[in-house]
Structure formats: C-alpha cells, structure tokens
Amino acid sequence: LGSGRSACAAGVGSAWKLQASERHWPVMAEARESLGVRDSRRNALLYNEGAFAMWHANTFDSNPAGTWRLYLVTSTGNSTFAFQDADGETVRIREEATPEKPYAGARIFRVGRCARRYHSIVVGAGLRFSFGFILTDAKAKELLGRAVRTWK
C-alpha cells in the first residue's frame, strides 16, 4: 500500500479502504460503464489474508437514504461472505479461488435505516477486493432481473 496515503482502515474490521486515486479507479470506471451506472462509486476495499469485516448493515452510511448497494468482488484465495436472510437465518457463501481461476461475484442489497441486511466477511487466504456502487431503485431492479441466485 506504499506510503499509507493510498489506503486507510475501513472502520468495520481489519479491511483497508482504498483512497481515490487514478491507480484504483479505472476498474471502477470500467465497471460503471458496463453496468450503465453513473456517479455511483461507494468505495473500494482490500482485505488481506486473515482480514475481516464485522457484522454490520450499512444502515447509516447510505447517501441518499434508502438506496441499493452493489458490490463487485474478486479474490485470489478463500473467503466467506455471510448474511442474514429475510427469515433471520445466517447464510454463508464460500468465495473460493484457485491460482488459475480467481473468484468473481456480485452482491446487491438495499440499504437504509429500515432496510437492514446484516453481513460480514472473513478472508482465510489470499486477497479479496470489493468495489461498491450506489444504485437507484430502477437500476437495482434492472440488474436483479438479470441476476442468477446462487444460494438456497
């Protein structure tokens, strides 16, 4: 991470929040363009081996309130994304990569004071990058219409 100016602690665990710089955002710009999303960058997070994000719901950090969040995830090792489903049950999704094939996935969920989707992340091995976007209701509906559900 160099001199420390390109990242800071994310605040919910031991992940690092990548600071805005031309080195980090080309991937975000390309993703925004391919998704058809404008001015919606939320953040970019780096989780190194053994890093985690505690259980949290992004309840008070949505801007504007009551929007959707999309995270594009890639990792070089093994990690677990856990969340509580609508019935309050904990669902754990293993994100497993091999040297030949990195893991790639997407997560879409509603955020806001009345839309709490508690989730956590634990990285066992390798690196995990997570790029976040804020979505409008219309864009979330469009993307969810094209999504493939991979749990339950």
Side-chain angles (χ1 to χ4, degrees):
L1 297 175
S3 66
R5 293 185 184 148
S6 59
C8 65
V12 295
S14 56
W16 289 91
K17 185 173 189 176
L18 301 175
Q19 299 296 310
S21 83
E22 293 187 20
R23 287 188 305 154
H24 301 132
W25 300 124
V27 163
M28 298 287 282
E30 186 176 324
R32 273 198 313 273
E33 184 176 323
S34 67
L35 293 169
V37 177
R38 285 175 274 174
D39 298 326
S40 62
R41 180 179 67 227
R42 175 63 189 141
N43 60 31
L45 300 168
L46 166 64
Y47 298 82
N48 59 345
E49 190 166 310
F52 65 93
M54 297 181 288
W55 284 97
H56 64 287
N58 303 97
T59 302
F60 298 106
D61 67 344
S62 59
N63 186 16
T67 60
W68 291 79
R69 193 70 52 82
L70 164 67
Y71 279 95
L72 301 178
V73 177
T74 186
S75 70
T76 63
N78 299 311
S79 54
T80 302
F81 176 83
F83 67 96
Q84 289 183 331
D85 67 13
D87 298 324
E89 297 293 320
T90 299
V91 176
R92 288 181 175 79
I93 298 174
R94 293 282 298 154
E95 302 171 340
E96 298 182 356
T98 65
E100 298 80 31
K101 186 177 179 188
Y103 171 84
R107 313 275 182 259
I108 298 177
F109 53 94
R110 192 158 179 74
V111 294
R113 287 176 180 80
C114 296
R116 294 186 173 105
R117 179 67 69 190
Y118 286 94
H119 57 283
S120 69
I121 296 104
V122 176
V123 176
L127 298 174
R128 182 184 193 269
F129 293 90
S130 180
F131 300 96
F133 301 88
I134 295 172
L135 302 177
T136 63
D137 285 340
K139 182 52 72 172
K141 183 177 180 181
E142 175 194 331
L143 292 175
L144 287 168
R146 299 180 351 210
V148 176
R149 185 173 171 171
T150 58
W151 56 273
K152 285 191 180 183

